[in-house]
Short mmCIF file of all heavy atoms in Angstrom, two decimals:
data_model
loop_
_atom_site.label_atom_id
_atom_site.label_comp_id
_atom_site.label_asym_id
_atom_site.label_seq_id
_atom_site.Cartn_x
_atom_site.Cartn_y
_atom_site.Cartn_z
N GLU M 12 -187.25 11.76 -2.36
CA GLU M 12 -188.30 11.11 -1.58
C GLU M 12 -189.64 11.08 -2.33
O GLU M 12 -190.31 10.06 -2.36
CB GLU M 12 -188.41 11.84 -0.22
CG GLU M 12 -189.32 11.17 0.75
CD GLU M 12 -190.65 11.84 0.83
OE1 GLU M 12 -190.68 13.05 1.05
OE2 GLU M 12 -191.68 11.15 0.68
N GLU M 13 -190.00 12.20 -2.98
CA GLU M 13 -191.34 12.22 -3.59
C GLU M 13 -191.49 11.26 -4.77
O GLU M 13 -192.60 10.98 -5.20
CB GLU M 13 -191.78 13.64 -3.97
CG GLU M 13 -190.88 14.37 -4.91
CD GLU M 13 -189.91 15.27 -4.15
OE1 GLU M 13 -189.43 14.89 -3.05
OE2 GLU M 13 -189.61 16.35 -4.66
N ASN M 14 -190.36 10.76 -5.30
CA ASN M 14 -190.47 9.80 -6.40
C ASN M 14 -190.34 8.35 -5.96
O ASN M 14 -190.58 7.44 -6.74
CB ASN M 14 -189.39 10.07 -7.45
CG ASN M 14 -189.62 11.38 -8.18
OD1 ASN M 14 -190.68 11.98 -8.04
ND2 ASN M 14 -188.64 11.81 -8.94
N CYS M 15 -189.90 8.13 -4.73
CA CYS M 15 -189.62 6.75 -4.32
C CYS M 15 -190.91 6.03 -3.95
O CYS M 15 -191.69 6.49 -3.15
CB CYS M 15 -188.65 6.71 -3.15
SG CYS M 15 -188.37 5.04 -2.57
N MET M 16 -191.11 4.86 -4.58
CA MET M 16 -192.33 4.10 -4.31
C MET M 16 -192.05 2.88 -3.44
O MET M 16 -192.93 2.06 -3.23
CB MET M 16 -192.98 3.71 -5.62
CG MET M 16 -192.02 3.08 -6.60
SD MET M 16 -192.82 2.87 -8.19
CE MET M 16 -191.51 2.09 -9.10
N GLY M 17 -190.82 2.76 -2.97
CA GLY M 17 -190.52 1.68 -2.02
C GLY M 17 -190.42 0.30 -2.60
O GLY M 17 -190.62 -0.69 -1.89
N CYS M 18 -190.09 0.18 -3.88
CA CYS M 18 -190.09 -1.14 -4.52
C CYS M 18 -188.85 -1.95 -4.20
O CYS M 18 -188.81 -3.15 -4.39
CB CYS M 18 -190.22 -0.99 -6.02
SG CYS M 18 -188.77 -0.23 -6.79
N ARG M 19 -187.81 -1.31 -3.76
CA ARG M 19 -186.55 -1.95 -3.37
C ARG M 19 -185.76 -2.55 -4.54
O ARG M 19 -184.91 -3.41 -4.33
CB ARG M 19 -186.78 -3.03 -2.31
CG ARG M 19 -187.33 -2.45 -1.01
CD ARG M 19 -187.46 -3.52 0.07
NE ARG M 19 -188.11 -2.97 1.26
CZ ARG M 19 -187.46 -2.41 2.27
NH1 ARG M 19 -186.15 -2.34 2.25
NH2 ARG M 19 -188.12 -1.91 3.30
N LEU M 20 -186.06 -2.13 -5.74
CA LEU M 20 -185.25 -2.64 -6.86
C LEU M 20 -183.83 -2.09 -6.80
O LEU M 20 -182.90 -2.70 -7.30
CB LEU M 20 -185.91 -2.31 -8.20
CG LEU M 20 -187.20 -3.07 -8.52
CD1 LEU M 20 -187.69 -2.74 -9.93
CD2 LEU M 20 -187.01 -4.57 -8.38
N VAL M 23 -181.95 -4.53 -4.83
CA VAL M 23 -181.67 -5.73 -5.63
C VAL M 23 -180.48 -5.45 -6.55
O VAL M 23 -179.54 -6.24 -6.64
CB VAL M 23 -182.91 -6.14 -6.45
CG1 VAL M 23 -182.57 -7.26 -7.43
CG2 VAL M 23 -184.04 -6.57 -5.53
N ILE M 27 -176.76 -7.27 -6.54
CA ILE M 27 -176.24 -8.00 -7.70
C ILE M 27 -174.87 -7.44 -8.09
O ILE M 27 -173.92 -8.17 -8.32
CB ILE M 27 -177.23 -7.91 -8.88
CG1 ILE M 27 -178.54 -8.61 -8.53
CG2 ILE M 27 -176.61 -8.52 -10.13
CD1 ILE M 27 -179.67 -8.32 -9.49
N PRO M 35 -178.27 -11.84 -11.82
CA PRO M 35 -179.21 -11.79 -10.69
C PRO M 35 -179.47 -13.13 -10.03
O PRO M 35 -179.48 -13.24 -8.80
CB PRO M 35 -180.50 -11.21 -11.30
CG PRO M 35 -180.27 -11.06 -12.76
CD PRO M 35 -178.81 -11.24 -13.03
N LEU M 36 -179.68 -14.17 -10.84
CA LEU M 36 -180.03 -15.45 -10.25
C LEU M 36 -178.83 -16.05 -9.54
O LEU M 36 -178.93 -16.54 -8.41
CB LEU M 36 -180.56 -16.40 -11.32
CG LEU M 36 -181.83 -15.91 -12.03
CD1 LEU M 36 -182.30 -16.92 -13.04
CD2 LEU M 36 -182.94 -15.61 -11.03
N PHE M 39 -178.17 -14.22 -6.22
CA PHE M 39 -179.08 -14.50 -5.11
C PHE M 39 -179.10 -15.96 -4.70
O PHE M 39 -179.35 -16.27 -3.54
CB PHE M 39 -180.49 -14.00 -5.44
CG PHE M 39 -180.64 -12.54 -5.11
CD1 PHE M 39 -180.23 -11.56 -6.02
CD2 PHE M 39 -181.15 -12.13 -3.89
CE1 PHE M 39 -180.34 -10.22 -5.71
CE2 PHE M 39 -181.26 -10.79 -3.57
CZ PHE M 39 -180.86 -9.83 -4.49
N PHE M 40 -178.86 -16.89 -5.65
CA PHE M 40 -178.92 -18.29 -5.26
C PHE M 40 -177.57 -18.83 -4.84
O PHE M 40 -177.47 -19.70 -4.00
CB PHE M 40 -179.50 -19.14 -6.40
CG PHE M 40 -180.96 -18.84 -6.64
CD1 PHE M 40 -181.44 -18.61 -7.92
CD2 PHE M 40 -181.85 -18.78 -5.57
CE1 PHE M 40 -182.78 -18.33 -8.13
CE2 PHE M 40 -183.20 -18.50 -5.78
CZ PHE M 40 -183.66 -18.27 -7.07
N VAL M 52 -188.72 3.08 5.16
CA VAL M 52 -190.16 3.18 4.96
C VAL M 52 -190.82 3.70 6.22
O VAL M 52 -190.57 3.20 7.31
CB VAL M 52 -190.78 1.81 4.61
CG1 VAL M 52 -192.26 1.93 4.32
CG2 VAL M 52 -190.06 1.18 3.43
N GLY M 54 -194.75 4.83 6.56
CA GLY M 54 -196.02 5.16 5.90
C GLY M 54 -195.78 5.45 4.44
O GLY M 54 -195.12 4.67 3.75
N ALA M 55 -196.28 6.59 3.98
CA ALA M 55 -196.14 6.94 2.57
C ALA M 55 -194.76 7.50 2.26
O ALA M 55 -194.42 7.73 1.12
CB ALA M 55 -197.21 7.94 2.17
N THR M 56 -193.98 7.74 3.31
CA THR M 56 -192.64 8.28 3.09
C THR M 56 -191.66 7.14 2.89
O THR M 56 -191.46 6.33 3.79
CB THR M 56 -192.20 9.12 4.31
OG1 THR M 56 -193.26 10.00 4.62
CG2 THR M 56 -190.93 9.88 4.02
N THR M 57 -191.07 7.07 1.71
CA THR M 57 -190.04 6.06 1.48
C THR M 57 -188.91 6.71 0.70
O THR M 57 -189.15 7.58 -0.12
CB THR M 57 -190.58 4.87 0.64
OG1 THR M 57 -191.08 5.38 -0.58
CG2 THR M 57 -191.66 4.10 1.35
N PHE M 58 -187.72 6.30 1.01
CA PHE M 58 -186.59 6.72 0.18
C PHE M 58 -185.43 5.76 0.41
O PHE M 58 -185.38 5.06 1.41
CB PHE M 58 -186.17 8.17 0.47
CG PHE M 58 -185.79 8.43 1.89
CD1 PHE M 58 -184.47 8.25 2.32
CD2 PHE M 58 -186.75 8.85 2.80
CE1 PHE M 58 -184.13 8.48 3.64
CE2 PHE M 58 -186.41 9.09 4.13
CZ PHE M 58 -185.10 8.90 4.56
N PRO M 137 -186.90 2.49 -11.28
CA PRO M 137 -187.84 2.72 -12.37
C PRO M 137 -188.51 4.09 -12.31
O PRO M 137 -189.19 4.47 -13.25
CB PRO M 137 -188.87 1.61 -12.21
CG PRO M 137 -188.63 0.97 -10.91
CD PRO M 137 -187.42 1.56 -10.27
N ASN M 138 -188.33 4.80 -11.20
CA ASN M 138 -189.13 6.02 -11.04
C ASN M 138 -188.28 7.27 -10.82
O ASN M 138 -188.78 8.27 -10.33
CB ASN M 138 -190.12 5.83 -9.87
CG ASN M 138 -191.42 6.56 -10.09
OD1 ASN M 138 -191.86 6.68 -11.23
ND2 ASN M 138 -192.01 7.07 -9.03
N ARG M 139 -187.01 7.18 -11.18
CA ARG M 139 -186.07 8.30 -11.02
C ARG M 139 -186.07 8.86 -9.59
O ARG M 139 -186.15 10.06 -9.38
CB ARG M 139 -186.42 9.44 -11.98
CG ARG M 139 -186.14 9.07 -13.40
CD ARG M 139 -186.21 10.26 -14.29
NE ARG M 139 -186.40 9.81 -15.66
CZ ARG M 139 -186.91 10.55 -16.62
NH1 ARG M 139 -187.29 11.78 -16.36
NH2 ARG M 139 -187.05 10.06 -17.82
N ALA M 140 -186.06 7.95 -8.64
CA ALA M 140 -186.05 8.38 -7.25
C ALA M 140 -184.63 8.44 -6.72
O ALA M 140 -184.42 8.75 -5.55
CB ALA M 140 -186.89 7.43 -6.40
N GLU M 152 -180.27 8.90 -15.59
CA GLU M 152 -180.12 7.70 -16.41
C GLU M 152 -179.10 7.97 -17.50
O GLU M 152 -178.78 9.12 -17.78
CB GLU M 152 -181.47 7.29 -17.00
CG GLU M 152 -182.21 8.41 -17.66
CD GLU M 152 -183.68 8.06 -17.89
OE1 GLU M 152 -184.16 7.07 -17.29
OE2 GLU M 152 -184.31 8.75 -18.68
N GLU M 155 -179.59 8.70 -23.75
CA GLU M 155 -180.14 7.84 -24.80
C GLU M 155 -179.33 8.03 -26.05
O GLU M 155 -178.79 9.10 -26.30
CB GLU M 155 -181.59 8.25 -25.09
CG GLU M 155 -182.58 7.38 -24.37
CD GLU M 155 -183.99 7.80 -24.72
OE1 GLU M 155 -184.32 7.78 -25.91
OE2 GLU M 155 -184.72 8.19 -23.79
N GLU M 158 -182.10 10.25 -31.02
CA GLU M 158 -183.54 10.05 -31.11
C GLU M 158 -183.88 9.32 -32.41
O GLU M 158 -183.42 9.68 -33.47
CB GLU M 158 -184.26 11.39 -31.08
CG GLU M 158 -185.74 11.22 -30.78
CD GLU M 158 -186.46 12.55 -30.64
OE1 GLU M 158 -185.92 13.44 -29.94
OE2 GLU M 158 -187.53 12.68 -31.23
N GLU M 159 -184.66 8.26 -32.26
CA GLU M 159 -184.96 7.42 -33.41
C GLU M 159 -186.22 7.89 -34.12
O GLU M 159 -187.27 7.98 -33.49
CB GLU M 159 -185.18 5.97 -32.94
CG GLU M 159 -183.91 5.24 -32.56
CD GLU M 159 -183.07 4.86 -33.77
OE1 GLU M 159 -183.66 4.61 -34.84
OE2 GLU M 159 -181.83 4.83 -33.65
N PRO M 160 -186.13 8.17 -35.42
CA PRO M 160 -187.37 8.52 -36.11
C PRO M 160 -188.27 7.29 -36.26
O PRO M 160 -189.47 7.39 -36.38
CB PRO M 160 -186.90 9.05 -37.45
CG PRO M 160 -185.53 8.53 -37.65
CD PRO M 160 -184.96 8.23 -36.31
N PHE M 161 -187.67 6.11 -36.25
CA PHE M 161 -188.47 4.91 -36.39
C PHE M 161 -188.24 4.00 -35.19
O PHE M 161 -187.12 3.91 -34.70
CB PHE M 161 -188.11 4.15 -37.67
CG PHE M 161 -188.40 4.96 -38.90
CD1 PHE M 161 -187.38 5.63 -39.55
CD2 PHE M 161 -189.69 5.10 -39.36
CE1 PHE M 161 -187.65 6.40 -40.66
CE2 PHE M 161 -189.96 5.88 -40.46
CZ PHE M 161 -188.94 6.54 -41.12
N TYR Z 18 -190.39 -20.42 -9.61
CA TYR Z 18 -189.59 -20.37 -8.38
C TYR Z 18 -188.11 -20.60 -8.64
O TYR Z 18 -187.27 -20.32 -7.78
CB TYR Z 18 -190.15 -21.34 -7.34
CG TYR Z 18 -191.46 -20.81 -6.78
CD1 TYR Z 18 -192.68 -21.35 -7.13
CD2 TYR Z 18 -191.44 -19.71 -5.92
CE1 TYR Z 18 -193.87 -20.82 -6.65
CE2 TYR Z 18 -192.62 -19.18 -5.42
CZ TYR Z 18 -193.83 -19.74 -5.79
OH TYR Z 18 -195.00 -19.22 -5.31
N ASP Z 19 -187.75 -21.10 -9.85
CA ASP Z 19 -186.33 -21.19 -10.17
C ASP Z 19 -185.76 -19.80 -10.42
O ASP Z 19 -184.55 -19.62 -10.45
CB ASP Z 19 -186.13 -22.04 -11.44
CG ASP Z 19 -186.39 -23.50 -11.13
OD1 ASP Z 19 -186.33 -23.87 -9.94
OD2 ASP Z 19 -186.69 -24.26 -12.08
N LYS Z 20 -186.63 -18.83 -10.66
CA LYS Z 20 -186.15 -17.48 -10.94
C LYS Z 20 -186.44 -16.50 -9.80
O LYS Z 20 -185.87 -15.42 -9.77
CB LYS Z 20 -186.82 -16.95 -12.20
CG LYS Z 20 -186.29 -17.52 -13.50
CD LYS Z 20 -186.88 -16.70 -14.62
CE LYS Z 20 -186.54 -17.20 -15.98
NZ LYS Z 20 -187.43 -16.54 -16.95
N CYS Z 21 -187.36 -16.86 -8.92
CA CYS Z 21 -187.74 -15.90 -7.88
C CYS Z 21 -186.64 -15.77 -6.83
O CYS Z 21 -186.25 -16.75 -6.20
CB CYS Z 21 -189.04 -16.35 -7.22
SG CYS Z 21 -189.47 -15.32 -5.81
N ILE Z 22 -186.15 -14.56 -6.64
CA ILE Z 22 -185.09 -14.32 -5.65
C ILE Z 22 -185.67 -13.81 -4.32
O ILE Z 22 -184.96 -13.33 -3.45
CB ILE Z 22 -184.04 -13.32 -6.18
CG1 ILE Z 22 -184.70 -12.00 -6.57
CG2 ILE Z 22 -183.29 -13.92 -7.38
CD1 ILE Z 22 -183.73 -10.91 -6.98
N CYS Z 24 -187.29 -11.18 -3.53
CA CYS Z 24 -186.91 -9.81 -3.21
C CYS Z 24 -188.07 -9.04 -2.57
O CYS Z 24 -187.88 -8.02 -1.94
CB CYS Z 24 -186.46 -9.08 -4.46
SG CYS Z 24 -187.80 -8.79 -5.62
N GLY Z 25 -189.29 -9.53 -2.77
CA GLY Z 25 -190.45 -8.90 -2.13
C GLY Z 25 -191.05 -7.75 -2.93
O GLY Z 25 -192.04 -7.15 -2.51
N CYS Z 26 -190.47 -7.46 -4.05
CA CYS Z 26 -190.96 -6.34 -4.85
C CYS Z 26 -192.42 -6.54 -5.26
O CYS Z 26 -193.25 -5.64 -5.13
CB CYS Z 26 -190.08 -6.17 -6.08
SG CYS Z 26 -190.59 -4.85 -7.16
N GLN Z 29 -194.78 -5.89 -2.41
CA GLN Z 29 -194.92 -4.47 -2.09
C GLN Z 29 -195.72 -3.75 -3.18
O GLN Z 29 -196.45 -2.81 -2.89
CB GLN Z 29 -193.52 -3.86 -1.95
CG GLN Z 29 -193.47 -2.50 -1.31
CD GLN Z 29 -193.47 -1.36 -2.32
OE1 GLN Z 29 -193.29 -1.58 -3.51
NE2 GLN Z 29 -193.70 -0.17 -1.84
N GLN Z 30 -195.60 -4.18 -4.42
CA GLN Z 30 -196.23 -3.47 -5.52
C GLN Z 30 -197.69 -3.84 -5.74
O GLN Z 30 -198.43 -3.12 -6.37
CB GLN Z 30 -195.43 -3.70 -6.81
CG GLN Z 30 -194.08 -3.01 -6.80
CD GLN Z 30 -194.20 -1.51 -6.98
OE1 GLN Z 30 -194.78 -1.03 -7.92
NE2 GLN Z 30 -193.65 -0.75 -6.04
N ARG Z 57 -198.80 -5.35 -12.73
CA ARG Z 57 -197.78 -4.53 -12.13
C ARG Z 57 -196.62 -5.40 -11.64
O ARG Z 57 -195.45 -5.07 -11.83
CB ARG Z 57 -198.37 -3.73 -10.96
CG ARG Z 57 -197.39 -2.84 -10.25
CD ARG Z 57 -197.01 -1.64 -11.07
NE ARG Z 57 -196.00 -0.82 -10.39
CZ ARG Z 57 -195.47 0.29 -10.88
NH1 ARG Z 57 -195.85 0.72 -12.07
NH2 ARG Z 57 -194.58 0.96 -10.22
N MET Z 61 -192.63 -5.33 -12.72
CA MET Z 61 -191.62 -4.89 -11.77
C MET Z 61 -190.64 -5.99 -11.37
O MET Z 61 -189.55 -5.69 -10.88
CB MET Z 61 -192.30 -4.36 -10.50
CG MET Z 61 -193.05 -3.05 -10.69
SD MET Z 61 -192.00 -1.63 -11.00
CE MET Z 61 -191.18 -1.45 -9.41
N CYS Z 62 -191.00 -7.26 -11.53
CA CYS Z 62 -190.13 -8.34 -11.05
C CYS Z 62 -188.76 -8.25 -11.71
O CYS Z 62 -188.65 -8.25 -12.92
CB CYS Z 62 -190.76 -9.70 -11.35
SG CYS Z 62 -189.65 -11.06 -10.95
N PRO Z 63 -187.69 -8.16 -10.89
CA PRO Z 63 -186.36 -7.94 -11.49
C PRO Z 63 -185.82 -9.16 -12.21
O PRO Z 63 -184.85 -9.04 -12.95
CB PRO Z 63 -185.49 -7.60 -10.27
CG PRO Z 63 -186.18 -8.21 -9.11
CD PRO Z 63 -187.63 -8.17 -9.42
N THR Z 64 -186.40 -10.34 -12.01
CA THR Z 64 -185.86 -11.52 -12.67
C THR Z 64 -186.83 -12.11 -13.69
O THR Z 64 -186.57 -13.17 -14.25
CB THR Z 64 -185.51 -12.61 -11.64
OG1 THR Z 64 -186.72 -12.98 -10.95
CG2 THR Z 64 -184.49 -12.13 -10.64
N LEU Z 132 -190.48 14.35 -45.12
CA LEU Z 132 -189.16 14.64 -44.58
C LEU Z 132 -188.48 15.75 -45.38
O LEU Z 132 -187.51 16.34 -44.95
CB LEU Z 132 -188.29 13.38 -44.58
CG LEU Z 132 -188.79 12.25 -43.68
CD1 LEU Z 132 -187.92 11.03 -43.81
CD2 LEU Z 132 -188.85 12.70 -42.22
N ASP Z 438 -204.25 7.68 -3.22
CA ASP Z 438 -203.46 7.23 -2.09
C ASP Z 438 -202.07 7.82 -2.26
O ASP Z 438 -201.41 7.58 -3.27
CB ASP Z 438 -203.41 5.69 -2.12
CG ASP Z 438 -202.57 5.11 -1.00
OD1 ASP Z 438 -201.37 5.46 -0.92
OD2 ASP Z 438 -203.10 4.31 -0.23
N PRO Z 439 -201.61 8.61 -1.27
CA PRO Z 439 -200.36 9.34 -1.50
C PRO Z 439 -199.18 8.43 -1.80
O PRO Z 439 -198.30 8.78 -2.57
CB PRO Z 439 -200.15 10.11 -0.19
CG PRO Z 439 -201.08 9.51 0.80
CD PRO Z 439 -202.20 8.88 0.05
N HIS Z 440 -199.18 7.25 -1.21
CA HIS Z 440 -198.05 6.36 -1.45
C HIS Z 440 -198.11 5.76 -2.85
O HIS Z 440 -197.11 5.72 -3.58
CB HIS Z 440 -198.03 5.26 -0.38
CG HIS Z 440 -196.76 4.47 -0.39
ND1 HIS Z 440 -195.55 5.01 -0.77
CD2 HIS Z 440 -196.52 3.17 -0.09
CE1 HIS Z 440 -194.62 4.07 -0.68
NE2 HIS Z 440 -195.18 2.95 -0.28
N LYS Z 443 -197.31 8.02 -5.88
CA LYS Z 443 -195.90 8.31 -6.15
C LYS Z 443 -195.37 7.49 -7.32
O LYS Z 443 -194.33 7.82 -7.90
CB LYS Z 443 -195.06 7.94 -4.92
CG LYS Z 443 -195.04 8.99 -3.83
CD LYS Z 443 -194.43 8.40 -2.59
CE LYS Z 443 -193.16 9.07 -2.16
NZ LYS Z 443 -192.54 8.37 -1.02
N ARG Z 444 -196.06 6.39 -7.64
CA ARG Z 444 -195.58 5.54 -8.73
C ARG Z 444 -195.63 6.24 -10.07
O ARG Z 444 -195.03 5.79 -11.03
CB ARG Z 444 -196.43 4.26 -8.81
CG ARG Z 444 -196.27 3.43 -7.58
CD ARG Z 444 -197.11 2.17 -7.66
NE ARG Z 444 -197.02 1.45 -6.40
CZ ARG Z 444 -197.51 0.26 -6.20
NH1 ARG Z 444 -198.14 -0.37 -7.18
NH2 ARG Z 444 -197.39 -0.33 -5.03
N LEU Z 445 -196.43 7.29 -10.13
CA LEU Z 445 -196.50 8.03 -11.38
C LEU Z 445 -195.63 9.28 -11.24
O LEU Z 445 -196.07 10.29 -10.70
CB LEU Z 445 -197.95 8.41 -11.69
CG LEU Z 445 -198.17 8.87 -13.12
CD1 LEU Z 445 -198.07 7.70 -14.08
CD2 LEU Z 445 -199.52 9.54 -13.26
N ASN Z 446 -194.40 9.19 -11.72
CA ASN Z 446 -193.52 10.35 -11.69
C ASN Z 446 -193.96 11.29 -12.82
O ASN Z 446 -193.91 10.92 -13.99
CB ASN Z 446 -192.08 9.87 -11.89
CG ASN Z 446 -191.08 10.99 -11.90
OD1 ASN Z 446 -191.40 12.10 -12.30
ND2 ASN Z 446 -189.86 10.70 -11.49
N PRO Z 447 -194.41 12.50 -12.48
CA PRO Z 447 -194.97 13.36 -13.52
C PRO Z 447 -193.97 13.68 -14.64
O PRO Z 447 -194.38 13.84 -15.79
CB PRO Z 447 -195.36 14.64 -12.77
CG PRO Z 447 -194.90 14.49 -11.38
CD PRO Z 447 -194.52 13.07 -11.14
N ASP Z 448 -192.69 13.74 -14.31
CA ASP Z 448 -191.70 14.02 -15.36
C ASP Z 448 -191.63 12.87 -16.37
O ASP Z 448 -191.62 13.09 -17.58
CB ASP Z 448 -190.32 14.24 -14.75
CG ASP Z 448 -190.30 15.43 -13.82
OD1 ASP Z 448 -191.19 16.28 -13.95
OD2 ASP Z 448 -189.42 15.49 -12.95
N ILE Z 449 -191.56 11.66 -15.84
CA ILE Z 449 -191.47 10.51 -16.74
C ILE Z 449 -192.76 10.41 -17.55
O ILE Z 449 -192.74 10.20 -18.76
CB ILE Z 449 -191.25 9.20 -15.94
CG1 ILE Z 449 -189.94 9.27 -15.14
CG2 ILE Z 449 -191.26 8.01 -16.87
CD1 ILE Z 449 -189.65 8.04 -14.30
N GLU Z 452 -192.86 12.91 -20.34
CA GLU Z 452 -191.99 12.51 -21.45
C GLU Z 452 -192.64 11.44 -22.30
O GLU Z 452 -192.55 11.46 -23.54
CB GLU Z 452 -190.66 11.95 -20.91
CG GLU Z 452 -189.69 13.04 -20.51
CD GLU Z 452 -188.55 12.49 -19.67
OE1 GLU Z 452 -188.16 11.32 -19.85
OE2 GLU Z 452 -188.05 13.26 -18.82
N ASN Z 456 -193.57 11.69 -26.19
CA ASN Z 456 -193.11 10.70 -27.17
C ASN Z 456 -194.26 10.17 -28.00
O ASN Z 456 -194.15 10.02 -29.21
CB ASN Z 456 -192.42 9.52 -26.47
CG ASN Z 456 -191.03 9.87 -26.01
OD1 ASN Z 456 -190.45 10.86 -26.48
ND2 ASN Z 456 -190.49 9.09 -25.10
N LYS Z 459 -195.38 12.75 -30.44
CA LYS Z 459 -194.38 12.91 -31.50
C LYS Z 459 -194.48 11.77 -32.51
O LYS Z 459 -194.43 11.99 -33.71
CB LYS Z 459 -192.97 12.92 -30.89
CG LYS Z 459 -192.54 14.25 -30.35
CD LYS Z 459 -191.05 14.20 -30.02
CE LYS Z 459 -190.59 15.50 -29.40
NZ LYS Z 459 -189.36 15.32 -28.62
N HIS Z 463 -195.40 12.21 -36.50
CA HIS Z 463 -194.60 11.69 -37.62
C HIS Z 463 -195.47 10.86 -38.54
O HIS Z 463 -195.46 11.00 -39.76
CB HIS Z 463 -193.47 10.80 -37.10
CG HIS Z 463 -192.31 11.56 -36.54
ND1 HIS Z 463 -191.71 12.59 -37.22
CD2 HIS Z 463 -191.61 11.41 -35.39
CE1 HIS Z 463 -190.70 13.06 -36.48
NE2 HIS Z 463 -190.64 12.38 -35.36
N GLU Z 467 -196.65 11.40 -42.48
CA GLU Z 467 -196.43 10.34 -43.49
C GLU Z 467 -197.72 10.07 -44.26
O GLU Z 467 -197.73 10.00 -45.48
CB GLU Z 467 -196.07 9.07 -42.76
CG GLU Z 467 -194.71 8.43 -42.71
CD GLU Z 467 -193.61 8.88 -43.63
OE1 GLU Z 467 -193.83 8.88 -44.85
OE2 GLU Z 467 -192.52 9.18 -43.14
#
Side-chain angles (χ1 to χ4, degrees):
Chain M
E12 188 258 307
E13 57 265 36
N14 291 349
C15 176
M16 49 188 182
C18 68
R19 296 184 186 270
L20 290 185
V23 172
I27 296 167
L36 299 181
F39 276 83
F40 292 132
V52 183
T56 311
T57 58
F58 59 88
N138 213 33
R139 291 192 199 157
E152 49 196 15
E155 262 182 59
E158 196 175 315
E159 285 287 329
F161 297 100
Chain Z
Y18 288 105
D19 288 339
K20 284 191 185 166
C21 174
I22 57 174
C24 69
C26 179
Q29 194 265 348
Q30 290 286 305
R57 180 72 183 180
M61 291 291 292
C62 173
T64 61
L132 296 176
D438 178 302
H440 191 31
K443 278 168 117 186
R444 295 180 185 188
L445 194 72
N446 179 330
D448 298 339
I449 300 179
E452 280 166 30
N456 283 342
K459 277 190 183 158
H463 283 310
E467 252 348 305

